[in-house]
Amino acid sequence: PLPALNPFTERSRHGKADFFSFLSHPFTCNTTMLRFSAVLCLLSCVAAFQLQSSFIPNTSVRKAAISTGRTSKLSVHMSSITAGEVHGENGAYVAGFWVPYDECDEKFNIKGGSNEKVPSGPCPRSRTRHGAAKSDGTYDVAIIGSGAIGSAIARELSKTKASVIMLEAGDDVSQGATKGNSGIVHAGFDDTPGSRRAEFCWPGNQMFPALDADLHFGYQLTGSLVVANGAEEEKHLGELMKRGDTNGVKNLRIVQKEELFQMEPHLNPEATAALFSPDAGTLIPYEYTIALAENAADNGVEVRIRREVVAIEKEESGLFVIKARHWEPKAYLETASEGLGHYYGGEGENGPTDKFPALKIQKKKVTVPEMKVGGSGSRTANDGVVVEEEEVRARFLINAAGGFSDRISAMIGDESFKVKPRLGEYVLLRKNQGHLCNHILFPCPGPLGKGILVQKTLWGNLILGPTARDVHMWPKGELVDPDSREEVLGKILRACRNLIADFDTNESIHSFSGARSKTDRGDWIIERSVQDGSFIQAAGIDSPGIAGSPAIALEVVRLLKEAGWDAPADPTFNPKRAAIIKPKRGEEGLVFTAETKTEVNSAGVSAQENVVCKCEKVTKAEIVEAMGRSLPIDSTQGMRKRTRAGMGGCQGKPWNYGCECRVAAVIAREAQEPTAKVGRRPWSATSLFERRWLSDEDKASVHALSQPQPEVVISSAVTPFQRLKAFFGVQN
């Protein structure tokens, strides 16, 4: 066998050592000169073979094309962006590149991470195990909001000896706009030159390989393609490339049709060219945010969830007094100890719900106002009951509250902006559709953003979306959606057919929405407040906020220093964190036990073998590991975001493997709570689907919506009568 060229071996970080290990490999000849010649020849052959073999059809799943537009900064030998593997299956993506299964214990599930600092046992309810207040009960810095921005800031501050607290209105970190987005680390070529987006997107993008090498949230350098259909759209590619050059974005190039279809064999035949950015990447946004927040908490930041900030005052001493309501779900406070709990679904679900009388059927729709403060994890969505009024005193305050950031700002008298949410809806398909695209595929952008896109997620699913619907334009307010579910769903599916024509809508398993925190300023707001210089705004961070988040965090720290904050570096800071999920090699070492709603381990096997979620092959050991981390978890939804239990094709069907009951039982056992008190995955939340588990009739309806139809413009300014006229082709 050829010696492996892996960017994460110690040798390959030093090209000379790796080169000589190559020379000494038994595959090569016995003399030094012949070895040298053989190596040069082999390198050329391997490169040519990899490039060609990536386009050879596979009878099962086509491997992703190997792109050679970006060279890893971690190894002079590694030039491919991705080998087309699926994260967690026979290996993992680390710092953008593939690490095979046998090296994952060293490179992904590492030893010596900050998570090893955490005491055994679960967190207390709704907070970290530790506090960070100083001896007088105050804090140096308080952060409101624990999305990607707030958590990135918290991690930067955890590198110092400052006392820091992060408050979250929802029932977990990453429950707002962070949870409901594409998970794309954009390169920044589309951003308006001179804007705050352009200032932070590219620098942030370049920080992700090193961030993932530390935190192991999973990051794949897929690259992106903006696809043009025809000469007019090709002109726009040139404009985007010039804009990218102005913004400092590197490695951009335009690929023509022949190369484009080698890179993307399933692309719509009408495509003629594309702008290729090899630096764009893919991650799971909540897994990224959880990794940031975990590492911050491991290094001393205090985190409290279910804390809804209702007022901010300023004492004569100069301290901010943040008044927050600590709430808990009514179901948690009132549920009896007996029973299995419930699942969220609806009457007429596609399955034998009548066989599970112990499972209560409930339904929970999430509104736009709730999406601003945690969505399905918000107080009102959970019938939350206020159990305590709290006051937090801090010298400096950071507003990273996303959709609620204008309300937080107004609490100190700063009304310089208003949040105008823009909804983005998505459809998720099974992993058997993921092979249809290798890169992130964008259409040429329009006036409302980057357009409805197609991409393969880090975990191998195909994702379609998002829309771009401005809530402030809805005629009857943000509680009355003027567009029907069918109109929105059809808009997504038909737009994506223009990129990839042959995806199978019958493989649709989930739909969700996010509310982007756009503001009336039209740009990100990263500044000291005009009302109070000790109040730092990190507000209105919409797309490409994930990409910009680590660079934004550095800017917020700079602004704090400008405002007078100072703290020495903490020599004990540990930047490393091990992943929770263990990659699997098929079903090797796993035991699938008989279905039961009351027994987690009917076969009596070890936790490492005991599968509690069949589709995603999640083990009991992974659930226990997540419970032992530094952030509080008390629901199957929180566990789903950390371990993928319930994320698979069956979406947690009670009549399949009963994974939600199994996971709830493990959470209950670790938390020493009754199983019935464990929170469950909400539905319908923001779904566009009629049912949680689609029937054959539902699938037929979804397929029909994906077919070409007279285009109906989705806009709050369009009346139902106008929609009908457009649908039937009636002219004015």
Side-chain angles (χ1 to χ4, degrees):
L2 293 175
L5 292 179
N6 191 292
F8 296 101
T9 59
E10 286 302 315
R11 287 197 310 267
S12 65
R13 288 177 180 165
H14 309 286
K16 185 176 181 181
D18 191 64
F19 177 73
F20 281 106
S21 71
F22 214 120
L23 291 181
S24 62
H25 196 275
F27 183 89
T28 54
C29 301
N30 292 326
T31 66
T32 302
M33 287 304 295
L34 284 175
R35 287 174 188 161
F36 181 80
S37 302
V39 168
L40 292 178
C41 185
L42 281 169
L43 285 173
S44 301
C45 292
V46 167
F49 174 77
Q50 285 182 325
L51 186 61
Q52 181 171 344
S53 64
S54 64
F55 305 132
I56 296 175
N58 186 302
T59 55
S60 55
V61 176
R62 187 190 301 271
K63 295 290 185 182
I66 294 178
S67 303
T68 56
R70 190 187 193 283
T71 302
S72 169
K73 294 180 180 179
L74 302 178
S75 169
V76 296
H77 292 296
M78 191 69 175
S79 61
S80 62
I81 292 177
T82 171
E85 305 292 344
V86 173
H87 190 64
E89 297 181 8
N90 303 308
Y93 283 102
V94 179
F97 297 91
W98 184 249
V99 170
Y101 179 84
D102 290 337
E103 298 177 21
C104 281
D105 281 347
E106 180 187 354
K107 314 292 175 26
F108 187 60
N109 304 105
I110 63 166
K111 302 297 182 185
S114 64
N115 49 288
E116 295 178 13
K117 293 181 178 181
V118 180
S120 61
C123 290
R125 180 85 184 178
S126 301
R127 61 175 300 159
T128 47
R129 296 173 182 83
H130 65 276
K134 297 183 289 187
S135 58
D136 62 358
T138 68
Y139 299 83
D140 292 320
V141 183
I143 304 167
I144 300 175
S146 67
I149 304 302
S151 296
I153 295 167
R155 182 174 184 265
E156 281 301 318
L157 293 175
S158 75
K159 297 176 181 180
T160 74
K161 290 187 175 181
S163 58
V164 181
I165 184 171
M166 184 162 63
L167 303 173
E168 169 56 45
D171 64 359
D172 195 4
V173 301
S174 76
Q175 282 290 70
T178 294
K179 182 177 68 175
N181 70 72
S182 307
I184 298 171
V185 180
H186 293 277
F189 56 79
D190 186 46
D191 301 314
T192 303
S195 67
R196 297 294 255 175
R197 292 184 183 89
E199 181 180 353
F200 295 110
C201 185
W202 172 252
N205 169 287
Q206 294 295 286
M207 295 171 70
F208 272 87
L211 263 177
D212 189 46
D214 279 345
L215 298 176
H216 304 98
F217 45 83
Y219 178 55
Q220 181 182 1
L221 272 164
T222 54
S224 69
L225 291 164
V226 180
V227 180
N229 295 336
E232 281 303 310
E233 290 191 354
E234 286 185 34
K235 293 178 183 177
H236 193 59
L237 299 183
E239 294 170 4
L240 286 176
M241 192 165 177
K242 290 178 183 177
R243 187 182 300 178
D245 184 61
T246 302
N247 292 343
V249 180
K250 307 299 183 186
N251 306 318
L252 296 173
R253 66 185 180 91
I254 293 176
V255 297
Q256 299 303 321
K257 188 165 187 172
E258 182 178 355
E259 182 183 4
L260 177 59
F261 279 87
Q262 289 178 334
M263 298 169 75
E264 290 291 346
H266 295 278
L267 201 60
N268 190 313
E270 294 182 4
T272 56
L275 177 64
F276 178 41
S277 175
D279 290 273
T282 296
L283 51 71
I284 304 299
Y286 41 84
E287 292 182 21
Y288 164 61
T289 301
I290 287 166
L292 291 169
E294 261 189 23
N295 188 243
D298 293 345
N299 285 291
V301 172
E302 180 182 344
V303 180
R304 299 185 199 174
I305 60 173
R306 298 191 177 101
R307 264 60 175 197
E308 195 174 50
V309 174
V310 293
I312 302 171
E313 298 174 356
K314 193 76 176 282
E315 291 182 334
E316 289 185 5
S317 64
L319 291 174
F320 289 102
V321 181
I322 306 152
K323 298 185 177 183
R325 292 174 180 164
H326 172 198
W327 64 270
E328 293 291 342
K330 183 179 180 181
Y332 171 76
L333 297 173
E334 298 181 358
T335 298
S337 300
E338 298 78 22
L340 298 175
H342 59 266
Y343 71 90
Y344 286 97
E347 298 292 345
E349 285 290 356
N350 179 32
T353 54
D354 58 313
K355 293 183 179 180
F356 304 96
L359 298 174
K360 303 172 186 176
I361 299 176
Q362 297 186 8
K363 199 169 182 178
K364 182 198 299 184
K365 183 69 178 174
V366 173
T367 65
V368 172
E370 289 167 339
M371 293 172 76
K372 296 178 183 179
V373 286
S376 60
S378 66
R379 177 179 59 82
T380 55
N382 286 275
D383 297 322
V385 176
V386 177
V387 296
E388 187 180 8
E389 302 277 353
E390 297 180 347
E391 288 188 354
V392 173
R393 287 172 167 77
R395 180 67 59 184
F396 298 91
L397 183 53
I398 298 169
N399 178 14
F404 203 67
S405 57
D406 57 344
R407 299 281 296 276
I408 296 296
S409 182
M411 291 178 190
I412 68 158
D414 185 343
E415 299 182 350
S416 60
F417 65 95
K418 293 291 182 185
V419 171
K420 294 185 173 181
R422 174 173 288 174
L423 289 192
E425 286 97 349
Y426 297 84
V427 175
L428 188 71
L429 280 66
R430 282 184 173 84
K431 293 182 179 182
N432 62 12
Q433 300 296 293
H435 70 284
L436 293 174
C437 88
N438 304 322
H439 303 78
I440 304 160
L441 302 179
F442 297 99
C444 276
L448 294 179
K450 297 174 179 67
I452 298 177
L453 60 95
V454 177
Q455 72 176 111
K456 182 168 84 172
T457 71
L458 179 73
W459 291 96
N461 299 86
L462 195 71
I463 191 169
L464 315 175
T467 56
R469 301 196 298 134
D470 287 324
V471 175
H472 69 275
M473 295 180 65
W474 292 2
K476 296 183 180 179
E478 57 188 16
L479 290 175
V480 183
D481 192 336
D483 302 311
S484 73
R485 182 171 51 202
E486 292 77 14
E487 286 172 327
V488 178
L489 190 56
K491 180 79 173 179
I492 297 169
L493 297 173
R494 291 192 295 274
C496 291
R497 292 277 193 217
N498 291 331
L499 288 167
I500 299 290
D502 53 352
F503 61 83
D504 186 356
T505 58
N506 287 342
E507 301 300 326
S508 302
I509 58 173
H510 185 42
S511 170
F512 64 94
S513 175
R516 297 166 234 173
S517 300
K518 299 193 76 66
T519 73
D520 54 4
R521 286 215 208 164
D523 198 3
W524 295 348
I525 302 167
I526 308 163
E527 64 191 24
R528 295 169 63 192
S529 170
V530 294
Q531 195 71 21
D532 189 321
S534 299
F535 184 98
I536 311 298
Q537 305 277 20
I541 314 293
D542 58 349
S543 180
I546 291 285
S549 57
I552 291 170
L554 293 177
E555 174 66 3
V556 168
V557 171
R558 188 193 69 78
L559 291 170
L560 280 171
K561 291 178 179 178
E562 186 181 273
W565 171 82
D566 188 30
D570 185 350
T572 68
F573 171 75
N574 186 347
K576 301 289 185 179
R577 167 198 177 263
I580 293 173
I581 297 172
K582 292 273 190 180
K584 311 299 190 298
R585 183 153 54 189
E587 297 181 2
E588 179 182 303
L590 302 177
V591 176
F592 298 84
T593 59
E595 185 197 347
T596 169
K597 298 291 185 293
T598 57
E599 178 57 51
V600 174
N601 191 6
S602 59
V605 298
S606 71
Q608 289 74 21
E609 297 171 295
N610 184 11
V611 174
V612 295
C613 171
K614 181 169 66 174
C615 295
E616 293 294 320
K617 295 183 283 192
V618 181
T619 65
K620 178 185 175 184
E622 289 167 317
I623 305 297
V624 172
E625 173 66 24
M627 288 295 292
R629 293 296 178 100
S630 55
L631 298 176
I633 308 171
D634 50 45
S635 69
T636 59
Q637 175 75 341
M639 192 58 71
R640 182 172 173 259
K641 288 159 52 182
R642 289 161 172 83
T643 66
R644 293 190 60 77
M647 287 276 195
C650 90
Q651 292 288 292
K653 284 179 182 174
W655 49 88
N656 182 24
Y657 194 69
C659 65
E660 191 160 19
C661 282
R662 295 176 192 240
V663 171
V666 179
I667 293 172
R669 189 171 302 174
E670 293 297 306
Q672 299 182 348
E673 290 271 19
T675 303
K677 286 184 176 289
V678 175
R680 306 302 168 98
R681 176 187 170 183
W683 199 89
S684 61
T686 59
S687 178
L688 294 170
F689 293 152
E690 185 71 27
R691 272 167 283 276
R692 180 170 170 179
W693 299 288
L694 298 182
S695 67
D696 289 341
E697 291 77 11
D698 295 330
K699 292 177 182 178
S701 297
V702 172
H703 175 73
L705 289 171
S706 74
Q707 300 308 300
Q709 296 178 18
E711 189 62 28
V712 179
V713 177
I714 295 182
S715 169
S716 53
V718 178
T719 67
F721 178 68
Q722 288 172 319
R723 289 194 197 101
L724 287 172
K725 287 173 65 178
F727 185 83
F728 290 108
V730 177
Q731 301 297 317
N732 289 330

